[in-house]
């Protein structure tokens, strides 16, 4: 890319290239018109609820009067607003220039005033008001002056410096994102060529020892001579790929657990396509977890196994354990749940996407496509932290025309997976929308009514204090449903960093309390805070449920033949 457009020919070439890019954009949009139509339906529904709130203001002139006064004071500089420490949009010193400093202040005041106005609006039920506030926040974030060329001094300076080359590169970046997302706007957050599972991610040695239409089962090679008698089966979420637990050796929970003497098995879910559209939640129970347990027991000769479920994988694990209890299958000795919802009373901001009307639009789209496109789901999750995970990259990639840095965690976050239509509809309707999982006999699996309160094995619940996907107060409610001996631990940080916190990192701290109280607040008030990672605490608990010590066995020498080397082929399928 040219450094500066400093002559007539370069300017002519610039305009020509820009025109070609606009034509290409039109072609991409036309090719994906059907998918984009469904997206527009969802946005229209959001705007309808926002408009309802705005219309309701006509009945409350006192709120409008106070709002108008607040806005006026903000525009005249009478109400200076301090930029929150975590808000990086206006941190660059160029925002301190005359005009831009005032603009950012007016914008922040407008955000605060408008949010307070809607919060004060009476007559809306709690769920609807939460949705309206969420949609309002998305709109306020979208109109930030930092997102537009002419109101962002950093972007203006870059344009002057390069003579507009940054804008042409930004358009190129945008079209690449649009084409890769097949009409969905998934901004590239990292260098997608910098990583590849099996090369510099997911490199813990092992073998695929079992495979069916939904899973590959990986058995990892031992790193010490003596191991716990009972293997550990990990059930990761299938919203993303399993290797969040095996990124690189320095932050791999899998590698660390193997070094602690665990025989670790990992489910690697298929990245489904339309042929999987009829796979429902019961298939994930039977063909996923139960067939994995069968394979673990068969290849090792073990009679009992320990289990671990992360996020949606934990929800599936809890469902499976209740089902196994109902059919008198007692092969699971213990269960660990990472950031897992079993009680969906407080689904957090994800619930804002899950009204009856939005689920109907989603159902119609999945009926057409057979799956929920993983890129659409990734965008929804990113919009829970829209300024950090969307708009910051909009500015960097499109306005500044720069490349995002290489980062393993963001590569994993971008490596999207589809979800089968039948499974996803069941999950959203029965769990998020109707919260039936927590009810005895609220859900049936293979015609068998299940009850989480019948689970009577030791369980370890790990939640994260700043988790915005599975609120820890709600995961605590799920822990209280279990009949067995429950250990609840609360880590620092969020949904991913709170879990992927290596034992020697020295980061964060965690709260530990062996007694479950009636409420999460009571539990936290009497919990003991420990510095550093919770990993050693969990491993001590797990080893207590591991049985006797036996000689380690190579995956190639088990009763099931090794099909291929880890990480297997399922994880390599990208969208």
């Amino acid at each position: 890319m040219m450094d500066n457009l400093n002559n007539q020919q370069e300017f002519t070439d610039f305009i020509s290239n820009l025109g070609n890019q606009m034509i290409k954009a039109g072609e991409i949009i036309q090719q994906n018109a059907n998918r984009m139509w469904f997206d527009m339906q969802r946005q229209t529904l959001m705007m309808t609820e926002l408009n309802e709130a705005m219309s309701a203001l006509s009945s409350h002139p006192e709120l409008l009067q106070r709002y108008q006064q607040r806005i006026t004071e903000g525009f005249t500089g009478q109400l200076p607003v301090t930029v929150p420490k975590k808000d990086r949009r206006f941190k660059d010193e160029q925002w301190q220039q005359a005009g831009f400093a005032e603009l950012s202040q007016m914008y922040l005041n407008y955000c605060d005033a408008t949010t307070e106005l809607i919060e004060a609006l009476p007559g809306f039920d709690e769920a609807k008001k939460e949705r309206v506030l969420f949609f309002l926040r998305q709109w306020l974030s979208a109109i930030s002056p930092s997102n537009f060329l002419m109101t962002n001094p950093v972007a203006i300076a870059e344009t002057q410096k390069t003579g507009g080359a940054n804008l042409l590169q930004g358009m190129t970046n945008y079209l690449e994102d649009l084409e890769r997302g097949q009409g969905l706007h998934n901004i590239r957050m990292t260098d997608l060529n910098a990583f590849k599972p099996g090369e510099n991610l997911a490199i813990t040695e092992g073998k695929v020892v079992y495979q069916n239409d939904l899973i590959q089962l990986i058995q990892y090679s031992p790193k010490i001579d003596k191991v716990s008698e009972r293997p550990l089966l990990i059930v990761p979420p299938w919203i993303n790929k399993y290797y969040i637990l095996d990124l690189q050796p320095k932050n791999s929970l899998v590698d660390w657990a193997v070094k602690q003497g665990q025989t670790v098995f990992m489910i690697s879910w298929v990245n489904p396509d339309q042929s999987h559209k009829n796979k429902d939640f019961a298939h994930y129970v039977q063909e996923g977890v139960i067939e994995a347990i069968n394979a673990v027991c068969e290849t090792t000769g073990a009679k009992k196994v320990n289990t671990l479920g992360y996020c949606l994988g934990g929800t599936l694990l809890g469902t499976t354990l209740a089902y196994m209890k109902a059919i008198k299958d007692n092969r699971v000795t213990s269960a660990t749940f990472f950031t897992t919802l079993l009680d969906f009373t407080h689904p957090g901001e994800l619930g804002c996407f899950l009204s009856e009307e939005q689920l109907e639009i989603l159902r119609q789209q999945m009926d057409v496509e057979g799956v929920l496109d993983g890129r659409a789901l990734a965008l929804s999750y990113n919009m829970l932290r829209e300024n950090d995970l969307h708009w910051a990259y909009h500015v960097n990639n499109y306005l500044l025309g720069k490349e995002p840095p290489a980062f393993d965690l963001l590569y994993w976050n971008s490596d999207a997976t589809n979800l089968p239509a039948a499974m996803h509809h069941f999950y959203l309707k029965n769990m998020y929308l109707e919260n039936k999982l927590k009810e005895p006999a609220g859900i049936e699996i293979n015609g068998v009514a299940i009850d989480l309160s019948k689970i009577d094995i030791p369980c370890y619940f790990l939640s994260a204090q700043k988790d915005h996907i599975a609120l820890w107060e709600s995961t605590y409610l799920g822990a209280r449903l279990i009949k067995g001996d429950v250990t609840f631990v609360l880590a620092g940080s969020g949904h991913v960093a709170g879990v992927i916190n290596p034992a020697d990192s020295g980061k964060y701290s965690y709260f530990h309390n062996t007694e479950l109280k009636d409420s999460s607040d009571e539990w936290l008030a009497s919990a003991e805070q420990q510095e550093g990672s919770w990993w050693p605490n969990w491993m001590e608990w797990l080893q207590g449920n591991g049985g006797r010590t036996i000689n380690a066995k190579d995956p190639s020498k088990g009763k099931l033949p090794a099909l291929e080397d880890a990480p297997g082929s399922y994880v390599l399928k990208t969208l």
Side-chain angles (χ1 to χ4, degrees):
M1 174 58 64
M2 65 194 83
D3 292 327
N4 201 333
L5 302 177
N6 53 15
N7 60 49
Q8 182 63 39
Q9 183 58 49
E10 288 179 344
F11 180 76
T12 301
D13 291 344
F14 173 80
I15 296 299
S16 177
N17 287 334
L18 188 60
N20 291 335
Q21 300 281 42
M22 296 298 291
I23 293 171
K24 186 177 181 182
E27 292 172 350
I28 294 171
I29 292 171
Q30 186 176 15
Q31 291 165 4
N32 297 280
N34 190 57
R35 171 173 289 176
M36 298 177 81
W37 182 86
F38 284 112
D39 190 47
M40 287 297 297
Q41 293 300 303
R42 282 187 284 272
Q43 292 184 36
T44 299
L45 191 59
M46 294 178 187
M47 291 306 300
T48 298
E49 292 202 322
L50 264 179
N51 288 335
E52 286 180 21
M54 296 303 178
S55 298
L57 287 171
S58 60
S59 303
H60 301 280
E62 75 286 356
L63 293 179
L64 279 174
Q65 184 177 9
R66 192 168 68 203
Y67 175 67
Q68 290 167 352
Q69 181 181 356
R70 171 77 180 270
I71 293 296
T72 301
E73 290 173 346
F75 282 178
T76 57
Q78 300 176 51
L79 283 177
V81 180
T82 302
V83 178
K85 288 183 178 180
K86 292 184 178 180
D87 191 339
R88 295 178 290 179
R89 293 174 293 178
F90 309 111
K91 291 297 186 183
D92 193 285
E93 61 181 16
Q94 296 193 66
W95 281 101
Q96 302 308 312
Q97 298 176 55
F100 291 109
E102 290 79 6
L103 178 62
S104 62
Q105 285 288 308
M106 285 190 292
Y107 164 75
L108 290 170
N109 177 72
Y110 177 74
C111 290
D112 289 348
T114 306
T115 302
E116 290 171 9
L117 173 70
I118 300 303
E119 286 176 339
L121 185 63
F124 279 76
D125 66 75
E126 183 177 346
K128 190 167 188 177
K129 178 173 281 191
E130 187 175 356
R131 288 200 304 272
V132 168
L133 286 169
F134 178 76
F135 301 153
L136 176 65
R137 195 188 81 207
Q138 298 301 320
W139 179 68
L140 291 172
S141 295
I143 65 170
S144 169
S146 58
N147 296 335
F148 302 94
L149 173 63
M150 297 310 296
T151 51
N152 185 326
V154 182
I156 291 173
E158 186 68 17
T159 304
Q160 292 171 336
K161 176 183 175 183
T162 68
N166 59 307
L167 301 181
L168 187 58
Q169 183 61 51
M171 175 63 80
T172 300
N173 292 343
Y174 170 74
L175 291 177
E176 289 176 353
D177 288 344
L178 200 62
E179 189 168 27
R180 189 179 63 255
Q182 295 182 346
L184 295 169
H185 191 195
N186 285 111
I187 299 179
R188 184 162 54 91
M189 296 188 290
T190 188
D191 182 353
L192 298 179
N193 296 315
F195 300 100
K196 185 177 179 181
E199 294 183 4
N200 53 3
L201 298 175
I203 59 174
T204 302
E205 291 183 4
K207 302 288 184 181
V208 173
V209 296
Y210 176 78
Q211 177 177 316
N212 63 26
D213 197 34
L214 271 185
I215 69 168
Q216 286 190 319
L217 182 67
I218 301 168
Q219 179 181 357
Y220 292 97
S221 302
K223 294 181 181 288
I224 59 177
D225 294 333
K226 299 290 185 179
V227 297
S228 295
E229 175 186 18
R230 295 166 186 158
L232 172 65
L233 171 65
I234 300 179
V235 184
W238 56 97
I239 286 177
N240 292 98
K241 295 181 179 178
Y242 82 83
Y243 63 85
I244 184 59
L245 297 170
D246 186 29
L247 286 169
Q248 300 184 67
K250 64 181 180 181
N251 56 4
S252 169
L253 180 71
V254 167
D255 183 72
W256 182 80
V258 171
K259 290 176 179 175
Q260 305 306 307
Q262 297 297 317
T263 301
V264 179
F265 287 80
M266 175 73 74
I267 290 177
S268 175
W269 298 102
V270 72
N271 200 341
D273 54 34
Q274 195 167 36
S275 68
H276 298 88
K277 66 179 181 179
N278 293 321
K279 295 289 186 182
D280 61 18
F281 210 80
H283 286 105
Y284 275 74
V285 169
Q286 186 66 50
E287 298 175 21
V289 183
I290 292 180
E291 289 197 17
I293 291 173
N294 294 343
V296 170
C297 292
E298 182 177 355
T299 196
T300 63
K303 303 297 182 184
K304 299 278 188 177
V305 301
N306 291 309
T307 56
L308 184 161
Y310 187 0
C311 187
L312 175 54
T315 305
L316 177 67
L317 176 60
T319 304
T320 304
L321 292 175
Y323 172 71
M324 293 176 71
K325 187 68 180 177
I327 63 173
K328 297 181 170 52
D329 184 341
N330 298 309
R331 289 176 294 169
V332 175
T333 296
S334 75
T336 297
F337 297 93
F338 290 170
T339 62
T340 293
L341 290 173
L342 298 175
D343 183 328
F344 290 76
T345 300
H346 306 295
E349 289 185 334
L350 272 178
C352 296
F353 294 110
L354 301 175
S355 66
E356 288 275 11
E357 296 81 2
Q358 292 207 49
L359 284 186
E360 177 58 24
I361 295 171
L362 190 60
R363 184 192 63 77
Q364 292 175 19
Q365 183 174 359
M366 288 192 295
D367 283 348
V368 172
E369 299 184 0
V371 295
L372 174 63
D373 192 299
R375 290 161 292 207
L377 192 63
L379 179 60
S380 297
Y381 276 99
N382 289 345
M383 297 315 284
L384 300 180
R385 291 173 53 197
E386 71 280 0
N387 286 322
D388 289 337
L389 296 179
H390 184 84
W391 293 112
Y393 294 97
H394 166 93
V395 173
N396 181 79
N397 299 10
Y398 303 159
L399 298 188
L400 303 182
K402 294 184 177 180
E403 296 293 308
F407 186 19
D408 58 358
L409 189 58
L410 289 178
Y411 177 87
W412 165 82
N413 190 57
S414 301
D415 192 5
T417 53
N418 291 332
L419 301 178
M423 182 286 303
H424 198 50
H425 182 71
F426 179 94
Y427 172 58
L428 293 182
K429 184 177 186 296
N430 289 280
M431 297 177 186
Y432 266 105
L433 193 62
E434 299 180 1
N435 199 13
K436 289 183 177 179
L437 182 59
K438 73 181 182 70
E439 302 293 339
I443 284 177
E444 290 187 358
I445 299 295
N446 295 331
V448 177
I450 66 169
D451 185 352
L452 294 177
S453 68
K454 300 297 184 183
I455 299 173
D456 57 0
I457 58 175
C459 294
Y460 187 104
F461 280 78
L462 183 281
S463 295
Q465 200 164 17
K466 296 180 181 179
D467 194 335
H468 64 292
I469 294 173
L471 305 182
W472 84 266
E473 295 87 350
S474 198
T475 64
Y476 186 84
L477 294 177
R480 286 182 50 80
L481 295 172
I482 303 298
K483 182 180 179 181
D485 182 24
V486 174
T487 298
F488 192 89
V489 172
L490 182 62
S493 196
H495 190 73
V496 173
V499 174
I500 311 306
N501 185 22
D504 59 357
S505 69
K507 285 185 177 181
Y508 315 127
S509 61
Y510 65 94
F511 291 91
H512 181 268
N513 190 346
T514 56
E515 183 180 355
L516 284 186
K517 303 290 186 178
D518 289 340
S519 71
S520 57
D521 288 341
E522 291 179 77
W523 178 90
L524 184 59
S526 59
E528 181 181 356
Q529 186 172 8
Q530 304 282 346
E531 293 302 317
S533 170
W534 55 271
W535 285 16
N537 176 271
W538 168 66
M539 184 54 62
E540 181 180 356
W541 177 90
L542 183 63
Q543 288 172 340
N545 292 287
R548 60 193 180 92
T549 300
I550 62 173
N551 293 325
K553 294 180 181 178
D554 189 282
S556 300
K557 298 178 181 178
K559 294 182 180 179
L560 292 177
L563 304 178
E564 59 180 314
D565 291 336
S569 55
Y570 279 14
V571 76
L572 300 179
K573 181 180 177 182
T574 59
L575 301 183

